[in-house]
Amino acid sequence: MKVKRVGQILYVIKYEECVTFYKTTLGLNILFQNKELACFDLYGTYLMIEKDDSVAYQNIKDDHKKIFGCIRVNVTHVKTMANELKSKNVEVDYQEHNWGTVAKFFDPDGNLLAFKDEESFEKQIKEYSLKRK
């Protein structure tokens, strides 16, 4: 199998708000866009924001808990990125752990994103590699 490109699609109800969030708040470049979807360059992969009009999604009850994953972007300075988001009125959950630092936040449709420090991530890879030898 020869992979040409990897990306992720987020199906959203608040389409316009999400496009503005990813474009303006996060500063991602749009690769292409139409009335139903916007495709962003997510640091070498793609992130597609697509208006969800599926019957199943429209029929979700109010008490349904949204099941979500997390789009994580490793960065050099998590605290700087968290402060930048806060200056744009984004609520950020900044956390320092023994395994690394993360800053979690949501887009307008409730999708979870996080910045993670690259240094501790690389350290975890190295430590795991040494244990396997």
Side-chain angles (χ1 to χ4, degrees):
M1 171 174 68
K2 185 174 182 180
V3 176
K4 298 277 187 170
R5 195 180 309 260
V6 176
Q8 181 166 350
I9 300 173
L10 290 179
Y11 296 102
V12 300
I13 298 297
K14 299 177 181 177
Y15 174 74
E16 293 296 334
E17 295 97 322
C18 287
V19 169
T20 300
F21 178 83
Y22 287 97
K23 180 181 177 186
T24 307
T25 306
L26 294 186
L28 299 180
N29 292 322
I30 294 179
L31 298 172
F32 62 88
Q33 180 179 11
N34 61 41
K35 293 178 183 179
E36 303 291 321
L37 58 89
C39 189
F40 292 89
D41 178 359
L42 184 64
Y43 312 105
T45 65
Y46 69 85
L47 172 63
M48 189 172 297
I49 305 302
E50 188 170 337
K51 188 183 286 186
D52 193 330
D53 60 358
S54 66
V55 174
Y57 200 86
Q58 291 176 6
N59 291 331
I60 291 176
K61 304 291 184 220
D62 288 340
D63 62 346
H64 175 78
K65 300 259 189 249
K66 185 172 184 178
I67 299 171
F68 52 82
C70 177
I71 297 173
R72 182 181 275 175
V73 178
N74 288 15
V75 297
T76 305
H77 301 288
V78 175
K79 188 147 193 121
T80 301
M81 298 300 287
N83 289 337
E84 187 175 317
L85 287 173
K86 287 178 184 178
S87 75
K88 296 176 180 178
N89 297 316
V90 176
E91 189 174 318
V92 178
D93 180 10
Y94 178 82
Q95 304 172 0
E96 294 181 0
H97 300 276
N98 62 349
W99 49 262
T101 304
V102 293
K104 298 178 181 180
F105 55 99
F106 293 95
D107 74 7
D109 211 66
N111 295 297
L112 180 63
L113 295 97
F115 291 126
K116 163 84 170 77
D117 69 296
E118 176 65 13
E119 184 179 350
S120 68
F121 191 78
E122 283 291 329
K123 182 180 174 189
Q124 289 170 312
I125 292 171
K126 283 182 182 178
E127 288 174 355
Y128 181 77
S129 179
L130 290 173
K131 286 180 186 178
R132 295 189 68 202
K133 288 184 179 181

